[in-house]
Each structure stands twice: as structure tokens, then as C-alpha cells.
Amino acid sequence: MGDIQYDEASADALVRAASAAAEQLRGQGAGRRAAVELGTDDFDGAYAKRFEESARIEAADRPKLASVLDDLGDQVNDATAAAKRERERREDLAAWQVRQDERDRKAAEAPVSLFPTPQPPSFDFKPSETPIAPPSISAAFSARARTRTGGGTPSGKSSADPDNLRSFARDYRALDRSTAEKQTTLLNAWHGFTGSCGWVRISSATFFIGFNRLLEENGEDSAWADRIADAFERAGGHGSLSNATLDVSAAADLPPAMQQMFAPGLTPAEVAALWAKLGYTSADAADLKSLPLPVLGKLGNLEGVDYWARSTANRVVLKARITEAADEVEALKSTIAYDNGAAWSRASTNLDALRNIDDSLDKHKHNGDRYLITLTEDVPPLAAVSIGNLDTAKDVTWAVPGMGSSTTGMDSWTNSAQNIYDQQRKGGPADRAVIAWMGYEAPPVPVMSGSADPGVLFNGYAKPGGDNPAASVRGLDAVRSGDMPVTNVVAHSYGSTTSAFGLTQPGVQVDTFTTIGSAGIPNSIPTADDIHADHVYAGQARNVWAIPGDEKGDQWAASGRLSPVHNIDPTSSDFGATAFGADGIEGDDTMRGVKDHGVSTPDGEGYLDLNTESLANVGYATTGQPERMTAYEPKELTDFEKSLLDEMMRAP
């Protein structure tokens, strides 16, 4: 008769592990109560109640598990005792059988006699042949789920001290780590027991799944507390936040309403309707700041969402990204020698752009509040800064830059947009907005920037880039559908090429489209009537071409119009726009002439510099005052053009 499979050493190890884990669980009562009490200090409202409910569930489930583990140890001890008895029974039966066999052998060898000698009675009774039934071990435990968001929390507000919540989370995690160590020991002991004690039956062993679930729920409580703390810190620290906002901030997953709004493929009008259902107003800016950064990143660029909300979201994201980018630049300093500084250079450019965007938001230096209505995830990002409130403005102007533009120059471009905003005071509405719109990837300036990219002569940047201003216009239509303002697009250089593509898309319509120093309208848009604008205006300073010389004027626009695909001059009579003056009015210091292709120069002679004829006309065009605009005067040929013509005439 063989031995049973039951290793007492493995069984004893399981008993010790179960006892240690149970003792650990029970011994944490005081520590967890202290952590909860700290977390609930200054924590009020529906979320505080949820916090307390979770703590009560944990405080009830933990000792239940300890009791299950105690019982498990008792059952294993009982099994060990049963195994010992079964082994003793088997050993006794085997020994008796040996003795019985000996008695039988002797009896067989004894001589046969007619008168056998009587044998004394035998008191060697046969041990039981009935095996001891293997015991059945049952250790069942299920940790309860804890409700943290939804289910009645949306109404009202909650307040909390983020420092207290972080202390709770820190202490809870420390307790969970020590418990997890005991759990690991218990798991190893359990595997050792089940692998070497097959004699016993396991009828239920859900305690380990339940143990895992308990620690997972504890971990989620800690993460939940951290998310709430994050929310209050983003909102400025102490104070109260709406429970509806915390339902988003504190949840591990977005609520269905928010998921629906972020679903791909929605039109701006559909987004606007879903946004309205959420019920946020500008008075809820602090609540909005508390949302998780990934949510804010999406919200800040979602067409159809109110602009105050987009700006609020983007400012929080911008601050976080500047910190992250600065850390990355610092961390990459040590790698400069390995890749010639390429990674560090990219990171530095990104940081410069982010800081430049931040500088452009300084409203204290200028008239009009500033709003960050776009901040993409690109590196460096695209961005748009509105001077004036787009949610209420009666007149809105997009200022679209040209070649060589990027957010590393956001502050400069916003200053040029500020000049438009200031110029519009002359006859324009008080409630107006000008958007410094750096919302597409522009081609580099060829040659002078050291780039061999000829993109400015083609539509590779303009055509896909045109989708972005079109989307922006549709977004304003959705947000202001019941109170649509006058809409204008002012586009410089290659920005006019890009904007022309956007303003020929379905569902896009503006009141005015104004080009300055245009690099050329796409050949697929032959006339101003093809552009979805009620009025089209064009300004162009004297063409001097991009060659050294003493003549002053626009040195790049005509070169851009050498393109094979966007060579239409919007000031030409064939195009059909209203051309206006940009070369200045002699003797009038408020109507100086443009002497460069740029929008701003150190001498104040760019297309959007103050006290220029160009800026004055842009201001009038975008505020419904075309009668005040000065007329375009055709220019005489430059010396360079005359020399080219002379050479052509002399050619055989």
C-alpha cells in the first residue's frame, strides 16, 4: 500500500504564510484609519461621501479576508492531522499484515496431528481497512467593488484639500506594498501546497482572486484620490468643484457624454450641441481647469466648443508642456555629443515655440484680452491666439501668416495681429477679435533660410493647410450660429495661397478676404468670384524682386508668383478683387509705404506695421469701410525689370 501525496513541510509553510498575511491585514487597521481621517479633513460634498463609503467597504472586507486566511490555516492544520492519521493507519495495517503473514506461515509449516495442541487466543486485531477520507479545503473570499463616480454625484459641488488627499494616497500605497509582499509569499506557499499535497481536495479557492481584487480596489482608491487632488491643483488649490467636473477628472475612464463629444467624425455643429448639454459656462473656468490634461488637450482644439473653454484648457496644457519640454531639454544636454545635438535641438525648438506662445498671451502689454484657442499636439505645436473674445465679438478677423512662419515666432505674429486689432478701432466695433492664426505648416523661406525646400512655389503646403482655416471658420459658425459676427480673413504671402484653398471648400463663407503681398492665388481659383467671400481685397507693395539693390519694396511676392501652380496676382484686374494702395502717400506720416515683404520691420515699413497705408486699408476692409480705402496705383518698372526688358529687346 503506497504513501499518500501530502508534504507536511509545504502545508506548514502555507499555514505560516496565511497566518502572516492575516496578521498583516488586521494590523493595518489603525494605519488605514489614520490615512482615511487625513484624507477626509477638509473634504466635503458628494465626493467626500464616496470616499468615506470606499473606506468603510475596505475596513469591512479586509478583516473578512483575514478571517478567511485564518480559517485556511486551520483547515490545512486539520488536513495535516488527517494525513498523519491516514499514514499511521496505513503503517499499522501494513505491520499487522506482516505479522499475520508470519502467523499464517507458521501454521502452514506445523505437522499435521490428529490431536492438535490448542493455541492461545490472538489479541492482534486487524487495523481498519477503511481509508480516512481526504479533507476538502475551502477558502472563499470576494472583495466588493467601490463606486467612485456617477450614480448620483453630478449635482452640487465638492471641496477638498489636495495635500491631504495625496497624503492619503501615499500612505495607502505604502500599506498596500507591505500587504502585497505577504500576498506574494502566500501565493508561492499555495502553489507549493497544491503541487505537493494532492491527497487533499480543493473545493474552493477564490480567496486569492479576492485578495487581488482587494488590493486593486485599494490601488484605485489611491489613484482616484490623486486624480481628485490633480483636479483641485489645476483649479488653483483649495475651493470647490462641481461634481459633474469631478466625474470626468476622478474617473479612470471618460463618462459617456464626454466620449461622445470626442468621437471622430463629428461636425462642429454636432460638437456644439453636445458641448451645450454639458452645461459649462465661463463661470465654470476653475472647474474646467481641473479636468485631466489629456481631456483638456482634446477640448482645447475641438471646433464647436466655446472659445473661453478652449482657451482655459489650452493655457493649462501649455503650462504643463513648457515644464515637460524644459525637463526634456535639460535631460538631453548630455546626449549632444552622440547625435550632434539633433535631439536636443528639436527639443529646444519645441521649448522656444511653447515659451513664445506663452509670451504672446501677455495681455498686460496690449489692448484686448487674449485667448489661446488652438494648441495642437505637434512638436513644435501649431497655435492660434485671439485678441478679443470670440464668443461675443461682432467682428472677427483671421490673420494668416506666410512662408517661414512657425510658433517660434508666435509673439511677433500676434503683435502684427494686435496692430490690425488696434487699427480696427477707427470705425470698427468695440467688441471685436483678431486671431493670430498660426494654424498650418508653412513652407520655409527658400535659400535665405538655408533650406533647399522649394515648397513655396507649389501647393504641397497650401492645399492640406487650407483644411485648417476652413475648419476654424466652420467652428465659429457652430459656436455663434445664433449670433454670427462679421467674418474676415487677412492673409499674407503664402498664407493667401493656403487661405484661398480653405475659402473654396463647401460650407465655408466669410464676409471679406484680404491678401497682402500674395505669393499667388492657386491657378484652380481663377477669379475672386470663385472664393467664398462677399468681398475680396488685395494689397501689394512695389515688386523689387529678391536681388541686392537700393530699391525698396516687396522682394518676394512676385517671386512666389513664378509658381507653375499658384501664379495668379490678386491685384490684377483679371482676377477681379478690389486692389488697394500699399506704397504710401507722400507727406502723410500715418500712411507710410511698405518697403519689405514682411509684415513688420525694424523701421516700421512692413505690411502690418502701424501708420502704413497697407495696415490702414486692412483695417477699413475688415470693418466694412471700403469707401475709406485708398486705391491701388500701378507701379512703374523697377531698374531690374527695365534691364530685363532691355535685354529682351536687344535679343536677336
Side-chain angles (χ1 to χ4, degrees), residues 347-387:
S348 296
T349 299
N350 182 49
L351 178 59
D352 289 345
L354 292 167
R355 286 175 170 168
N356 211 275
I357 294 168
D358 191 46
D359 289 342
S360 74
L361 294 170
D362 186 355
K363 70 177 183 180
H364 300 294
K365 299 184 296 186
H366 309 281
N367 298 316
D369 291 339
R370 295 193 170 189
Y371 301 82
L372 182 58
I373 63 167
T374 298
L375 182 70
T376 70
E377 295 180 349
D378 301 279
V379 178
L382 302 175
V385 173
S386 175
I387 305 164

Side-chain angles (χ1 to χ4, degrees), residues 415-501:
N415 289 339
S416 294
Q418 180 74 48
N419 290 346
I420 299 176
Y421 180 88
D422 292 343
Q423 185 68 37
Q424 289 175 336
R425 285 182 297 183
K426 299 179 179 181
D431 192 359
R432 62 192 184 281
V434 177
I435 306 169
W437 192 84
M438 197 77 72
Y440 78 107
E441 183 183 359
V445 179
V447 184
M448 292 181 65
S449 64
S451 171
D453 185 348
V456 72
L457 295 175
F458 299 93
N459 293 333
Y461 290 88
K463 194 166 185 179
D467 293 341
N468 298 346
S472 188
V473 171
R474 293 188 188 102
L476 184 72
D477 287 346
V479 173
R480 298 290 302 278
S481 60
D483 181 28
M484 193 63 187
V486 173
T487 52
N488 316 279
V489 173
V490 175
H492 172 247
S493 184
Y494 194 82
S496 66
T497 314
T498 300
S499 297
F501 276 117

Side-chain angles (χ1 to χ4, degrees), residues 292-346:
L293 285 175
V295 174
L296 292 175
K298 292 180 181 179
L299 197 66
N301 297 283
L302 192 58
E303 298 294 350
V305 171
D306 290 348
Y307 293 99
W308 71 263
R310 290 174 61 174
S311 181
T312 299
N314 285 330
R315 282 176 178 265
V316 175
V317 173
L318 176 63
K319 181 179 179 181
R321 287 181 65 177
I322 288 174
T323 300
E324 180 182 353
D327 291 343
E328 182 182 13
V329 168
E330 186 64 28
L332 287 172
K333 282 183 178 179
S334 61
T335 70
I336 292 177
Y338 296 100
D339 64 351
N340 296 319
W344 179 85
S345 179
R346 287 192 296 270

